[in-house]
Amino acid sequence: MALEKAWRWFGFNDPVKLTDLKQMGVEGVVTALHHIPNGEVWPVDEIMKVKSAIEAHGMRWTVVESLPVSEGIKTKSADRPRLIKNYQESLRNLGKCGIDTVCYNFMPVLDWVRTDLHYTLPSGGEVMYFDFPSFVAFDAFILKRPGAENDYPAEIVEKAREVRSRMTDEEAEKLAYNTIIVTQGFINGAVDPNSADYKKAFLDFIDTYKDIDRDKLRQHLADFLKNVVPVAEENGINLCIHPDDPPFPVLGLPRIVSTKEDFEWIVNQYDSVSNGITFCTGSLSVRSNEHLVSIVKSVGHRIHFLHLRNNVLLPDGCFHEYGHIHGCVDMYSVMKALLEEQQRRIKEGRKDIRMPVRPDHGIKMLDDFNRKANPGYPLIGRLKGLAELSGLEMGIERAMAEKC
Ligand code: DNO
């Protein structure tokens, strides 16, 4: 039994079509109702349109990525009761349609961050890069968020000042636009891409967190879980929280899903298989002191969804993405631990044995340069990742079977 081969598909407008996925050997499609605004209910008929199309191509809608958690839930704004009701309703509707795995995240304001979306590798391929000084330049010297300089180590702030002084105004604008709009646009980010002053709108969102520290955000997550996990349970759904990307605080905002200890805290907040996690090696490996295999050993029984990819870690908290099996993640050991977890589930007679895995992000290469794709989601680079991961998995599985 192998892990289920999954693929992130952005819906009917995705240039990669469902027929393509079938050819590529994809079994499970990962998608969302991207056209429904954050905080609104996902209706049954809209869910069914997507689900039926996927099934008509001989695959299953394996994971919803993501059912977005609105800012009003994270900050506990006055609108929270309505937003929670809508979230519960969407879960019920997904359950009615037979969808059983729903990914979400709890990152304040920004879902994920990179400072360069087109970093060229020596091979000529392109990946995404996070340069910490450039990010601080964006925060402190482009956005000019009050107090930003106090939220980062002094030496990084100094480097950021230099970075900004070397940048043209057009480059500065591009960095801000990429961070606030381009990387967030395709996943229903907090800021409306059409807002007249998108930087001001972004700062206003950040400001809504001024009284929310790490403990308070944790409390808000625990309250969210109390409200939604029972509904997920009743409807046969496993929720799975995605870790912070990158896994440390940015913009002076708390981050609470960055470490093994954070995951342990989360699974203990509500004792149910429905309160699960998304294991994303790309996000978690940026903290070089976190041991990915020990995360699997500790909370593996609650992992419902896998994002496998790799990074190259650089000094000063910088990193860039890389191929799937090469880089700082020891993918052999991670894959082995995940397959052992799957074996355990089979022995225990658990229902959730699919353990969908998608090759996350990828190197832009070859014909990807002639194609349109969301940042991080080139077709060929991800397909290479899918093939590499499948080969690695098959080798490990065979070796495990021969040992028994
Ligand atoms: C970016 C993704 C994230 C992820 C969400 C899950 O490529 O890893 O947008 O889908 O954080 O909720």
Side-chain angles (χ1 to χ4, degrees), residues 343-368:
Q343 287 304 324
R344 223 178 345 263
R345 289 184 189 192
I346 294 169
K347 277 202 198 101
E348 286 169 8
R350 272 173 67 160
K351 273 199 322 225
D352 51 346
I353 53 170
R354 293 200 313 274
M355 298 186 64
V357 52
R358 70 170 180 82
D360 195 16
H361 300 176
I363 303 177
K364 186 171 174 178
M365 59 174 71
L366 308 170
D367 195 43
D368 287 330

mmCIF file of all heavy atoms in Angstrom, residues 343-368:
data_model
loop_
_atom_site.group_PDB
_atom_site.id
_atom_site.type_symbol
_atom_site.label_atom_id
_atom_site.label_comp_id
_atom_site.label_asym_id
_atom_site.label_seq_id
_atom_site.Cartn_x
_atom_site.Cartn_y
_atom_site.Cartn_z
ATOM 1 N N GLN A 343 1.549 1.903 7.869
ATOM 2 C CA GLN A 343 1.454 0.485 8.258
ATOM 3 C C GLN A 343 0.761 0.332 9.604
ATOM 4 O O GLN A 343 -0.081 -0.541 9.802
ATOM 5 C CB GLN A 343 2.853 -0.144 8.351
ATOM 6 C CG GLN A 343 3.531 -0.386 7.014
ATOM 7 C CD GLN A 343 2.669 -1.255 6.101
ATOM 8 O OE1 GLN A 343 1.991 -2.170 6.562
ATOM 9 N NE2 GLN A 343 2.651 -0.942 4.821
ATOM 10 N N ARG A 344 1.112 1.241 10.521
ATOM 11 C CA ARG A 344 0.495 1.187 11.854
ATOM 12 C C ARG A 344 -1.016 1.366 11.745
ATOM 13 O O ARG A 344 -1.796 0.664 12.375
ATOM 14 C CB ARG A 344 1.088 2.321 12.705
ATOM 15 C CG ARG A 344 1.446 1.920 14.108
ATOM 16 C CD ARG A 344 2.072 2.978 14.972
ATOM 17 N NE ARG A 344 2.573 4.159 14.313
ATOM 18 C CZ ARG A 344 3.852 4.350 13.967
ATOM 19 N NH1 ARG A 344 4.751 3.426 14.213
ATOM 20 N NH2 ARG A 344 4.221 5.472 13.387
ATOM 21 N N ARG A 345 -1.417 2.326 10.909
ATOM 22 C CA ARG A 345 -2.856 2.583 10.751
ATOM 23 C C ARG A 345 -3.578 1.357 10.183
ATOM 24 O O ARG A 345 -4.683 1.034 10.585
ATOM 25 C CB ARG A 345 -3.081 3.778 9.822
ATOM 26 C CG ARG A 345 -2.687 5.067 10.464
ATOM 27 C CD ARG A 345 -3.017 6.247 9.575
ATOM 28 N NE ARG A 345 -2.412 7.435 10.179
ATOM 29 C CZ ARG A 345 -2.665 8.668 9.818
ATOM 30 N NH1 ARG A 345 -3.521 8.912 8.856
ATOM 31 N NH2 ARG A 345 -2.082 9.683 10.428
ATOM 32 N N ILE A 346 -2.925 0.720 9.217
ATOM 33 C CA ILE A 346 -3.554 -0.462 8.612
ATOM 34 C C ILE A 346 -3.734 -1.532 9.684
ATOM 35 O O ILE A 346 -4.817 -2.111 9.835
ATOM 36 C CB ILE A 346 -2.716 -0.974 7.417
ATOM 37 C CG1 ILE A 346 -2.737 0.073 6.296
ATOM 38 C CG2 ILE A 346 -3.224 -2.322 6.921
ATOM 39 C CD1 ILE A 346 -1.755 -0.158 5.154
ATOM 40 N N LYS A 347 -2.694 -1.735 10.498
ATOM 41 C CA LYS A 347 -2.768 -2.764 11.558
ATOM 42 C C LYS A 347 -3.856 -2.435 12.570
ATOM 43 O O LYS A 347 -4.539 -3.313 13.075
ATOM 44 C CB LYS A 347 -1.426 -2.853 12.288
ATOM 45 C CG LYS A 347 -0.450 -3.726 11.559
ATOM 46 C CD LYS A 347 0.658 -4.252 12.489
ATOM 47 C CE LYS A 347 1.812 -4.735 11.644
ATOM 48 N NZ LYS A 347 2.940 -3.791 11.572
ATOM 49 N N GLU A 348 -3.994 -1.143 12.866
ATOM 50 C CA GLU A 348 -4.993 -0.738 13.862
ATOM 51 C C GLU A 348 -6.405 -0.724 13.289
ATOM 52 O O GLU A 348 -7.360 -0.420 13.985
ATOM 53 C CB GLU A 348 -4.671 0.676 14.379
ATOM 54 C CG GLU A 348 -3.476 0.706 15.322
ATOM 55 C CD GLU A 348 -3.001 2.134 15.615
ATOM 56 O OE1 GLU A 348 -3.686 3.108 15.216
ATOM 57 O OE2 GLU A 348 -1.935 2.257 16.225
ATOM 58 N N GLY A 349 -6.523 -0.968 11.978
ATOM 59 C CA GLY A 349 -7.845 -0.980 11.347
ATOM 60 C C GLY A 349 -8.433 0.417 11.188
ATOM 61 O O GLY A 349 -9.654 0.584 11.104
ATOM 62 N N ARG A 350 -7.560 1.423 11.133
ATOM 63 C CA ARG A 350 -8.075 2.782 10.962
ATOM 64 C C ARG A 350 -8.596 2.998 9.546
ATOM 65 O O ARG A 350 -8.161 2.345 8.605
ATOM 66 C CB ARG A 350 -6.966 3.800 11.255
ATOM 67 C CG ARG A 350 -6.892 4.169 12.718
ATOM 68 C CD ARG A 350 -5.706 5.040 13.026
ATOM 69 N NE ARG A 350 -5.785 6.384 12.419
ATOM 70 C CZ ARG A 350 -5.071 7.417 12.852
ATOM 71 N NH1 ARG A 350 -4.255 7.280 13.881
ATOM 72 N NH2 ARG A 350 -5.168 8.592 12.264
ATOM 73 N N LYS A 351 -9.538 3.919 9.431
ATOM 74 C CA LYS A 351 -10.129 4.207 8.113
ATOM 75 C C LYS A 351 -9.209 5.105 7.278
ATOM 76 O O LYS A 351 -9.164 5.021 6.068
ATOM 77 C CB LYS A 351 -11.461 4.955 8.309
ATOM 78 C CG LYS A 351 -12.659 4.057 8.487
ATOM 79 C CD LYS A 351 -13.973 4.793 8.202
ATOM 80 C CE LYS A 351 -13.976 6.207 8.685
ATOM 81 N NZ LYS A 351 -14.889 6.881 9.349
ATOM 82 N N ASP A 352 -8.504 5.999 7.994
ATOM 83 C CA ASP A 352 -7.752 7.035 7.270
ATOM 84 C C ASP A 352 -6.349 6.544 6.905
ATOM 85 O O ASP A 352 -5.346 7.006 7.432
ATOM 86 C CB ASP A 352 -7.675 8.319 8.096
ATOM 87 C CG ASP A 352 -7.178 8.078 9.511
ATOM 88 O OD1 ASP A 352 -7.142 6.906 9.935
ATOM 89 O OD2 ASP A 352 -6.806 9.052 10.187
ATOM 90 N N ILE A 353 -6.325 5.612 5.950
ATOM 91 C CA ILE A 353 -5.026 5.032 5.580
ATOM 92 C C ILE A 353 -4.479 5.599 4.271
ATOM 93 O O ILE A 353 -3.385 5.256 3.865
ATOM 94 C CB ILE A 353 -5.107 3.483 5.480
ATOM 95 C CG1 ILE A 353 -6.239 3.093 4.555
ATOM 96 C CG2 ILE A 353 -5.276 2.861 6.859
ATOM 97 C CD1 ILE A 353 -6.254 1.626 4.212
ATOM 98 N N ARG A 354 -5.247 6.480 3.619
ATOM 99 C CA ARG A 354 -4.771 6.997 2.311
ATOM 100 C C ARG A 354 -3.503 7.824 2.469
ATOM 101 O O ARG A 354 -2.617 7.764 1.676
ATOM 102 C CB ARG A 354 -5.823 7.928 1.677
ATOM 103 C CG ARG A 354 -7.096 7.299 1.258
ATOM 104 C CD ARG A 354 -7.851 8.151 0.227
ATOM 105 N NE ARG A 354 -7.995 9.566 0.492
ATOM 106 C CZ ARG A 354 -8.952 10.121 1.211
ATOM 107 N NH1 ARG A 354 -9.872 9.373 1.805
ATOM 108 N NH2 ARG A 354 -9.015 11.434 1.364
ATOM 109 N N MET A 355 -3.463 8.662 3.470
ATOM 110 C CA MET A 355 -2.351 9.587 3.712
ATOM 111 C C MET A 355 -1.917 10.291 2.420
ATOM 112 O O MET A 355 -0.803 10.095 1.925
ATOM 113 C CB MET A 355 -1.183 8.867 4.394
ATOM 114 C CG MET A 355 -1.589 8.330 5.749
ATOM 115 S SD MET A 355 -0.224 7.628 6.694
ATOM 116 C CE MET A 355 0.841 9.009 6.986
ATOM 117 N N PRO A 356 -2.807 11.138 1.870
ATOM 118 C CA PRO A 356 -2.488 11.799 0.600
ATOM 119 C C PRO A 356 -1.222 12.641 0.691
ATOM 120 O O PRO A 356 -1.023 13.378 1.652
ATOM 121 C CB PRO A 356 -3.697 12.693 0.329
ATOM 122 C CG PRO A 356 -4.576 12.595 1.519
ATOM 123 C CD PRO A 356 -4.100 11.504 2.404
ATOM 124 N N VAL A 357 -0.377 12.494 -0.326
ATOM 125 C CA VAL A 357 0.859 13.278 -0.359
ATOM 126 C C VAL A 357 0.906 14.036 -1.678
ATOM 127 O O VAL A 357 0.692 13.468 -2.741
ATOM 128 C CB VAL A 357 2.105 12.377 -0.204
ATOM 129 C CG1 VAL A 357 2.125 11.226 -1.172
ATOM 130 C CG2 VAL A 357 3.387 13.194 -0.357
ATOM 131 N N ARG A 358 1.159 15.328 -1.577
ATOM 132 C CA ARG A 358 1.351 16.037 -2.851
ATOM 133 C C ARG A 358 2.759 16.614 -2.918
ATOM 134 O O ARG A 358 3.311 17.048 -1.897
ATOM 135 C CB ARG A 358 0.279 17.104 -3.077
ATOM 136 C CG ARG A 358 0.330 18.336 -2.188
ATOM 137 C CD ARG A 358 -0.648 19.368 -2.714
ATOM 138 N NE ARG A 358 -0.684 20.591 -1.947
ATOM 139 C CZ ARG A 358 0.172 21.596 -2.080
ATOM 140 N NH1 ARG A 358 1.186 21.508 -2.926
ATOM 141 N NH2 ARG A 358 0.040 22.692 -1.357
ATOM 142 N N PRO A 359 3.356 16.556 -4.134
ATOM 143 C CA PRO A 359 4.640 17.228 -4.294
ATOM 144 C C PRO A 359 4.342 18.713 -4.181
ATOM 145 O O PRO A 359 3.622 19.276 -5.001
ATOM 146 C CB PRO A 359 5.078 16.833 -5.710
ATOM 147 C CG PRO A 359 3.817 16.474 -6.433
ATOM 148 C CD PRO A 359 2.828 16.025 -5.411
ATOM 149 N N ASP A 360 4.892 19.336 -3.150
ATOM 150 C CA ASP A 360 4.595 20.750 -2.929
ATOM 151 C C ASP A 360 5.591 21.577 -3.730
ATOM 152 O O ASP A 360 6.736 21.175 -3.912
ATOM 153 C CB ASP A 360 4.740 21.039 -1.429
ATOM 154 C CG ASP A 360 4.130 22.356 -1.021
ATOM 155 O OD1 ASP A 360 3.341 22.917 -1.795
ATOM 156 O OD2 ASP A 360 4.435 22.825 0.100
ATOM 157 N N HIS A 361 5.189 22.722 -4.162
ATOM 158 C CA HIS A 361 6.026 23.636 -4.954
ATOM 159 C C HIS A 361 6.977 22.843 -5.869
ATOM 160 O O HIS A 361 7.031 21.630 -5.821
ATOM 161 C CB HIS A 361 6.822 24.600 -4.060
ATOM 162 C CG HIS A 361 5.930 25.447 -3.203
ATOM 163 N ND1 HIS A 361 6.383 26.318 -2.270
ATOM 164 C CD2 HIS A 361 4.567 25.548 -3.154
ATOM 165 C CE1 HIS A 361 5.369 26.921 -1.664
ATOM 166 N NE2 HIS A 361 4.265 26.449 -2.184
ATOM 167 N N GLY A 362 7.754 23.522 -6.674
ATOM 168 C CA GLY A 362 8.658 22.782 -7.544
ATOM 169 C C GLY A 362 9.547 23.737 -8.305
ATOM 170 O O GLY A 362 9.302 24.954 -8.315
ATOM 171 N N ILE A 363 10.579 23.182 -8.913
ATOM 172 C CA ILE A 363 11.495 24.016 -9.706
ATOM 173 C C ILE A 363 10.838 24.284 -11.060
ATOM 174 O O ILE A 363 10.376 23.355 -11.721
ATOM 175 C CB ILE A 363 12.847 23.295 -9.911
ATOM 176 C CG1 ILE A 363 13.481 22.926 -8.560
ATOM 177 C CG2 ILE A 363 13.791 24.160 -10.748
ATOM 178 C CD1 ILE A 363 14.792 22.153 -8.662
ATOM 179 N N LYS A 364 10.806 25.561 -11.424
ATOM 180 C CA LYS A 364 10.287 25.902 -12.753
ATOM 181 C C LYS A 364 11.344 25.496 -13.763
ATOM 182 O O LYS A 364 12.513 25.894 -13.643
ATOM 183 C CB LYS A 364 10.046 27.414 -12.780
ATOM 184 C CG LYS A 364 9.382 27.943 -14.001
ATOM 185 C CD LYS A 364 9.018 29.403 -13.759
ATOM 186 C CE LYS A 364 8.468 30.049 -14.993
ATOM 187 N NZ LYS A 364 8.075 31.438 -14.737
ATOM 188 N N MET A 365 10.976 24.686 -14.721
ATOM 189 C CA MET A 365 11.960 24.166 -15.680
ATOM 190 C C MET A 365 11.316 23.871 -17.036
ATOM 191 O O MET A 365 10.092 23.769 -17.142
ATOM 192 C CB MET A 365 12.628 22.900 -15.131
ATOM 193 C CG MET A 365 11.651 21.787 -14.823
ATOM 194 S SD MET A 365 12.477 20.253 -14.346
ATOM 195 C CE MET A 365 13.110 20.678 -12.752
ATOM 196 N N LEU A 366 12.150 23.736 -18.045
ATOM 197 C CA LEU A 366 11.715 23.306 -19.379
ATOM 198 C C LEU A 366 10.481 24.087 -19.854
ATOM 199 O O LEU A 366 10.470 25.305 -19.827
ATOM 200 C CB LEU A 366 11.453 21.785 -19.362
ATOM 201 C CG LEU A 366 12.614 20.941 -18.818
ATOM 202 C CD1 LEU A 366 12.180 19.498 -18.620
ATOM 203 C CD2 LEU A 366 13.826 21.010 -19.728
ATOM 204 N N ASP A 367 9.453 23.364 -20.223
ATOM 205 C CA ASP A 367 8.270 24.016 -20.785
ATOM 206 C C ASP A 367 7.509 24.887 -19.772
ATOM 207 O O ASP A 367 6.616 25.652 -20.136
ATOM 208 C CB ASP A 367 7.335 22.925 -21.354
ATOM 209 C CG ASP A 367 6.279 23.520 -22.260
ATOM 210 O OD1 ASP A 367 6.641 24.399 -23.077
ATOM 211 O OD2 ASP A 367 5.101 23.152 -22.135
ATOM 212 N N ASP A 368 7.873 24.759 -18.473
ATOM 213 C CA ASP A 368 7.233 25.624 -17.462
ATOM 214 C C ASP A 368 7.430 27.098 -17.815
ATOM 215 O O ASP A 368 6.607 27.938 -17.461
ATOM 216 C CB ASP A 368 7.832 25.367 -16.071
ATOM 217 C CG ASP A 368 7.389 24.036 -15.488
ATOM 218 O OD1 ASP A 368 6.268 23.591 -15.818
ATOM 219 O OD2 ASP A 368 8.162 23.439 -14.711
#
